[in-house]
Amino acid sequence: MDLVTALVAKVGAMALGTDYAQQDCSLARALEVVGERWSLLIVRDAFYGVRRFNDFLAHLDIPRAVLTSRLRSLVAAGVLRKETYQSSPTRYGYVLTETGRELWLPLYGLAQWGERHVSERGARTLFSHADCGTRLDRHGSCPQCLRPVPPEDVMMRPGTPDQPREDPVSRALGGPHRLLTPITVDGTGRAG
Amino acid sequence: MDLVTALVAKVGAMALGTDYAQQDCSLARALEVVGERWSLLIVRDAFYGVRRFNDFLAHLDIPRAVLTSRLRSLVAAGVLRKETYQSSPTRYGYVLTETGRELWLPLYGLAQWGERHVSERGARTLFSHADCGTRLDRHGSCPQCLRPVPPEDVMMRPGTPDQPREDPVSRALGGPHRLLTPITVDGTGRAG
DNA sequence: CTCCCCGGGTTCATTGAAGAGACCTAGGGG
DNA sequence: CCCCTAGGTCTCTTCAATGAACCCGGGGAG
């Protein structure tokens, strides 16, 4: 490949390929950040309390290189923040920023849509208002308290899975759990 | 490559690759349908009133083959419906089904998130309640009427674009427009 | 002191999907 | 007869996901 061909290829790749650059639309902007494959599932796991590289890896069955790349771009976009949870040896985790937490509504909305319309057969995961125990409606509000529930006040618990996963993270999420509180994975030599 | 290698490669590609099969989660199910590149932008355009193959093409700058493929899978998933709008010569358009219309909330939520957090500088598109003219809040509700507004009662109008597009569809969307009503494209030899 | 483990990555070969553009087909219309 | 429009296919090239192997720094056990 000569230089001109290489340049043309490069410019072509920049113009389209990795982004929706020509779309003057906030949805396109949002999708540049969270629209790539795996991104929203990573954000979902972050809401579930997953924080560590290896836990995302085990729970998502995502190639390591792709996880590295997605975490990096989500941090760059301000959705996640890299946080040291232990020094000597230094260990990092990834937690949602306030910007990331504001993805709760669209993310919950998409999940509810999937529940209602794609291979419906009872909720796989149930979300309820931690204060009163009422199940959230499709808009993410509490029908009892009649207002939107922020993610930190949401409890999740497993519904009726069809093929339960058998990784440590899924086991850690086997019982009721408040969103955004770190999960405690044990069974692989890690303290709870 | 021998037969066994080929088989292993094929099974591997089916197990992952094109879907999130191992994820027992409604969000993953939803993303299998609308999570692919371009899918949500096509749905957005459908809310805007775009119905024809060539109009999607012009407005999205999407490769024709990809558009064909996405429209097909969105129809298969029950998000869009193929509709004849003219016979002899037969012409098809694509319109949102009720299932597709229920994507309004998560789609609007994502767009609002993008507006607030990704290169913010004033709304590119403004959405308001057709009945009273009030701008929608971030949850898609009308602050005046205090209830969620269904997409058919939403008016859109352009906000402050930074690099306005110059295709016929963008021009047709230049003024206030009620969601889900077909756009009328003129200027390319098509009657309004 | 050495070996091995753990957490968090990087590198590499393979392949499926996206992108760009030419081509196709059916039905009109000048 | 040729060309137009609408809605697509076909082909080639490039990009990015996958899966598996390898890397590296810090500890802890023997």
Side-chain angles (χ1 to χ4, degrees), chain B residues 52 55 166-174 183-192:
Chain B
R52 300 178 179 202
D55 289 344
E166 266 316 316
D167 60 278
V169 177
S170 296
R171 257 179 273 124
L173 289 171
I183 57 168
T184 53
V185 171
D186 41 34
T188 52
R190 204 156 101 212

Side-chain angles (χ1 to χ4, degrees), chain A residues 41-62:
Chain A
L41 291 179
I42 291 171
V43 171
R44 174 205 66 177
D45 271 18
F47 275 112
Y48 286 1
V50 178
R51 310 197 143 191
R52 299 178 180 202
F53 189 92
N54 281 337
D55 289 344
F56 284 109
L57 206 60
H59 194 224
L60 291 173
D61 282 327
I62 179 180

Side-chain angles (χ1 to χ4, degrees), chain B residues 10-68:
Chain B
K10 182 146 205 287
V11 170
M14 289 185 344
L16 290 171
T18 54
D19 55 15
Y20 303 103
Q22 304 311 314
Q23 289 293 315
D24 184 38
C25 162
S26 347
L27 178 63
R29 296 281 169 282
L31 291 176
E32 282 178 16
V33 174
V34 295
E36 283 176 303
R37 194 162 164 66
W38 296 111
S39 291
L40 272 185
L41 291 180
I42 291 172
V43 172
R44 174 206 64 178
D45 271 18
F47 275 112
Y48 286 1
V50 178
R51 310 197 142 190
R52 300 178 179 202
F53 189 90
N54 280 336
D55 289 344
F56 284 109
L57 206 60
H59 194 223
L60 291 172
D61 281 329
I62 179 179
R64 308 172 77 92
V66 176
L67 179 58
T68 304

Side-chain angles (χ1 to χ4, degrees), chain B residues 38-129:
Chain B
W38 296 111
S39 291
L40 272 185
L41 291 180
I42 291 172
V43 172
R44 174 206 64 178
D45 271 18
F47 275 112
Y48 286 1
V50 178
R51 310 197 142 190
R52 300 178 179 202
F53 189 90
N54 280 336
D55 289 344
F56 284 109
L57 206 60
H59 194 223
L60 291 172
D61 281 329
I62 179 179
R64 308 172 77 92
V66 176
L67 179 58
T68 304
S69 160
R70 289 297 178 279
L71 289 173
R72 229 195 283 282
S73 55
L74 287 171
V75 168
V79 173
L80 297 179
R81 184 164 29 89
K82 205 168 182 176
E83 206 181 64
T84 306
Y85 65 82
Q86 160 189 316
S87 46
S88 164
T90 310
R91 295 284 184 252
Y92 304 106
Y94 295 87
V95 298
L96 286 166
T97 61
E98 181 53 32
T99 293
R101 283 190 208 161
E102 291 192 17
L103 280 169
W104 169 245
L105 269 185
L107 194 135
Y108 176 83
L110 263 181
Q112 293 306 299
W113 182 87
E115 196 131 273
R116 292 198 303 279
H117 296 296
V118 190
S119 74
E120 62 285 331
R121 31 124 287 269
R124 286 168 174 85
T125 309
L126 302 168
F127 297 97
S128 53
H129 189 185

Side-chain angles (χ1 to χ4, degrees), chain A residues 95-111:
Chain A
V95 298
L96 286 166
T97 61
E98 180 53 32
T99 292
R101 285 190 208 161
E102 291 193 16
L103 280 169
W104 169 246
L105 269 186
L107 193 135
Y108 176 83
L110 263 181

